[in-house]
Amino acid sequence: MTKKPFKLTTRQMVTLSALIAVAMILSYIESLIPAFVAVPGVKIGLSNIATVFALYTLGWPYAICVSVVRVLLSALLFGNFVSLIYSLSGAALALTAMILLKKIDSFSSIGVSVAGGVCHNAGQIIAACIVMETAAIALYIIPLIVSGTIAGVVIGLAAGNLVERIKKYL
Amino acid sequence: MLKKILENKKLRSDIILIAAALFVGLVALLVAFLLREDGSRVVVSVDGKKVAEYSLNVDGTYYLNDGTNVLVIEDGYAYMKEANCPGFQDCVEKGKISYVGQSITCLPNKVIVEIVGEGEEILS
């Protein structure tokens, strides 16, 4: 990994673009999966695979890039301004938690993505509380802690496997 | 297999983290389930401001926020019958609510329907 984190080689730039494209596809695929629980916000977060992958192979600045660009692009293509606020605050909190946990270096990709999943939900709820100016929806976090954990395990396993298999070709 | 997992320090802390998160979530779910009580009134807020209040015991159909959302109160339950937002409608899918603290939220229209108890002030 390079010492200057923001200086891109062509190879890194291409990898980064490919990851963002994969993240976009994954979030589109996820939008096709019907919601199976009547609680808003319960989802797998498939595109987080790309973020965790970037975090483990390219480093944290790239993970931020993948996640933020993905959120902005999906908002432009499928969403609106309000959904952008929720996604951005969720992504910001999730990224912070994942980068910190990765830095501590005592968790594998599973633990990192569990923290990411739960924090993503928490960030969205906090944003919703601020936008709607009410604390009434704060309780939505309870089922979301459980679902975020389970989703995080799945994403962490997937991303960890991918990193192991693909890293040597990067 | 199990021994291998337990010997791996990172996986062990993973499992502790997962167990802790699941424990907190499930205990909170259980507490929320045990502490629930039947509500008596329905409070509707749009954009953070309370705009209407209905009794849960009186059946009726109400057009909220200039008709963007249709709220129905029936047999002590409240549910969102219709909404004008495109795509997946969380508020309609949420189904019937009747316990204190339960709410139906329509994020696109900033409409919140909340159940409160007797003589209770809504938190805002």
Side-chain angles (χ1 to χ4, degrees):
Chain A
M1 232 165 289
T2 164
K3 285 275 180 213
K4 291 180 197 154
F6 291 101
K7 195 172 181 207
L8 283 174
T9 64
T10 312
R11 173 177 279 261
Q12 284 167 331
M13 193 161 72
V14 172
T15 316
L16 196 55
S17 323
L19 275 177
I20 293 169
V22 168
M24 290 297 298
I25 296 286
L26 286 175
S27 59
Y28 175 66
I29 291 175
E30 179 155 2
S31 74
L32 298 179
I33 303 172
F36 40 89
V37 200
V39 180
V42 174
K43 46 183 190 172
I44 317 174
L46 282 179
S47 60
N48 207 27
I49 293 178
T51 313
V52 177
F53 185 85
L55 182 63
Y56 271 83
T57 53
L58 303 169
W60 62 267
Y62 300 91
I64 293 180
C65 183
V66 168
S67 181
V68 171
V69 173
R70 200 270 305 165
V71 164
L72 290 176
L73 285 178
S74 337
L76 271 178
L77 290 173
F78 317 115
N80 54 38
F81 183 67
V82 180
S83 72
L84 175 65
I85 298 175
Y86 300 133
S87 310
L88 264 187
S89 83
L93 208 59
L95 278 169
T96 315
M98 290 199 292
I99 291 168
L100 284 180
L101 247 62
K102 170 91 187 337
K103 278 251 152 61
I104 295 171
D105 200 32
S106 52
F107 295 98
S108 78
S109 61
I110 303 172
V112 169
S113 95
V114 165
V118 174
C119 287
H120 187 93
N121 290 336
Q124 289 196 313
I125 299 267
I126 293 169
C129 283
I130 294 170
V131 170
M132 317 265 286
E133 296 171 36
T134 173
I137 44 182
L139 280 179
Y140 275 126
I141 192 63
I142 297 172
L144 288 183
I145 291 176
V146 179
S147 78
T149 307
I150 298 168
V153 172
V154 175
I155 299 303
L157 279 172
N161 264 302
L162 280 172
V163 169
E164 237 170 70
R165 275 152 218 256
I166 300 180
K167 199 169 189 178
K168 52 178 178 274
Y169 302 111
L170 283 179
Chain B
M1 174 73 183
L2 193 67
K3 208 179 162 204
K4 218 175 178 180
I5 289 176
L6 290 178
E7 273 168 2
N8 185 325
K9 273 212 175 110
K10 286 192 173 179
L11 279 180
R12 200 164 57 195
S13 28
D14 282 352
I15 291 169
I16 295 170
L17 178 73
I18 295 164
L22 283 181
F23 181 75
V24 170
L26 291 175
V27 165
L29 270 183
L30 188 70
V31 168
F33 181 73
L34 292 176
L35 292 182
R36 65 184 187 173
E37 54 176 308
D38 287 326
S40 61
R41 288 175 298 138
V42 181
V43 172
V44 179
S45 329
V46 176
D47 210 355
K49 287 177 209 71
K50 178 174 159 183
V51 293
E53 188 176 317
Y54 310 110
S55 167
L56 253 187
N57 304 317
V58 182
D59 292 357
T61 304
Y62 306 98
Y63 294 86
L64 310 178
N65 191 22
D66 301 328
T68 60
N69 298 67
V70 181
L71 173 76
V72 174
I73 297 175
E74 209 174 73
D75 306 327
Y77 290 95
Y79 64 93
M80 202 69 91
K81 194 177 179 209
E82 268 173 47
N84 67 350
C85 3
F88 185 75
Q89 297 177 331
D90 280 321
C91 58
V92 178
E93 296 294 326
K94 171 89 185 180
K96 294 181 172 181
I97 60 172
S98 67
Y99 297 109
V100 171
Q102 279 190 307
S103 60
I104 303 176
T105 311
C106 170
L107 287 180
N109 294 328
K110 295 190 177 178
V111 175
I112 300 180
V113 175
E114 199 185 353
I115 308 267
V116 295
E118 199 63 56
E120 184 187 343
E121 272 309 305
I122 184 169
L123 20 97
S124 63

